[in-house]
Amino acid sequence: MKKIFLIASILLITFQVNAQKKFDTLPPYLKVPYIPPFKINQPNNLIYTKDSLPKNRPVVIMYFSPDCGHCQIQTQDILDSMKYFEKVQFVLVAYKKLDELKDFAEKYKLANYKNIRIGRDAKYFIPSFYQVKITPFIAVYNKKGEFLKAFTHGMKISELKEIL
C-alpha cells in the first residue's frame, strides 16, 4: 500500500512539474491575452501607447521591418483592403531607425489613414512580448482588447476579415 501511495505521489508531482514547464514556455501574449502596455516613438516624435488607442475598436499590431519584402506586401494588402477595416486600429511597430520608418510611412502614404500608427519600439518590448521570429508578425485583438489570434508569418486579408 505504501508503494502504491509513493508511486502515485511521484506521478502527481511529475505531472505538475511538466504542466508548469509547459506554461512557462508559452510566450507572454498567451499568458496575458490582452493588448500589452507598449510604447512607440512615432516619426513625428510623438509617443504612442496602449492608452492612446481608441476605445471599443479592434486592434491589429504588426511587428515588421521597413526593408522586409513580405512586410511591404503585407502593408500594401492591408491598405488595398482598408474599406473593410475602417474601424480597426492598426499599430505598425519596428525597431529600425525613425528615418527608415518615416520613409516607409511616406512611401505607403500612411498619414492618409487615421486608423494607422507607425513607430519605433526602442526598448524592443513588442518582439520580446510576442517572441517574434519572423516578420511580419501580426497580433489581433477584439474591441475589448482581448487577444484573438497571432499570425506568425503574415496573414491573408481574408483571414483578418473573417476574425474581425
Side-chain angles (χ1 to χ4, degrees):
M1 184 65 135
K2 289 181 182 181
K3 287 182 183 180
I4 292 173
F5 179 73
L6 181 62
I7 291 171
S9 296
I10 291 171
L11 288 174
L12 182 61
I13 291 169
T14 302
F15 288 131
Q16 285 180 325
V17 168
N18 286 335
Q20 185 64 36
K21 283 181 185 177
K22 185 176 181 180
F23 182 76
D24 288 343
T25 61
L26 288 175
Y29 73 94
L30 293 176
K31 291 179 187 176
V32 182
Y34 299 97
I35 298 170
F38 67 86
K39 178 180 177 182
I40 59 173
N41 302 316
Q42 299 178 95
N44 61 6
N45 294 319
L46 296 176
I47 303 296
Y48 194 80
T49 68
K50 175 185 176 180
D51 294 334
S52 306
L53 292 168
K55 305 295 180 215
N56 297 316
R57 291 182 107 179
V59 174
V60 174
I61 298 174
M62 181 170 104
Y63 187 76
F64 77 107
S65 180
D67 55 0
C68 160
H70 289 98
C71 300
Q72 294 169 8
I73 292 168
Q74 186 74 77
T75 301
Q76 191 61 57
D77 287 347
I78 291 169
L79 297 177
D80 290 345
S81 302
M82 193 52 75
K83 66 182 178 186
Y84 301 108
F85 305 122
E86 292 174 350
K87 295 187 179 191
V88 176
Q89 182 64 46
F90 289 87
V91 181
L92 280 58
V93 181
Y95 182 72
K96 297 284 187 167
K97 294 179 182 177
L98 280 178
D99 289 342
E100 292 179 62
L101 295 181
K102 185 175 183 179
D103 292 344
F104 186 89
E106 288 173 1
K107 177 180 178 179
Y108 291 97
K109 299 177 178 43
L110 299 182
N112 294 341
Y113 302 91
K114 292 180 181 181
N115 62 332
I116 297 179
R117 293 288 184 264
I118 184 171
R120 180 173 193 261
D121 179 6
K123 294 189 178 182
Y124 210 70
F125 171 77
I126 291 290
S128 297
F129 183 79
Y130 292 108
Q131 295 184 355
V132 175
K133 293 178 180 35
I134 297 173
T135 56
F137 177 95
I138 298 164
V140 182
Y141 295 86
N142 66 18
K143 65 182 181 178
K144 294 178 183 178
E146 300 165 336
F147 175 74
L148 295 175
K149 185 166 184 167
F151 296 93
T152 58
H153 300 91
M155 67 177 177
K156 293 180 182 176
I157 293 300
S158 60
E159 292 174 299
L160 184 59
K161 287 189 329 191
E162 185 177 308
I163 63 173
L164 290 177

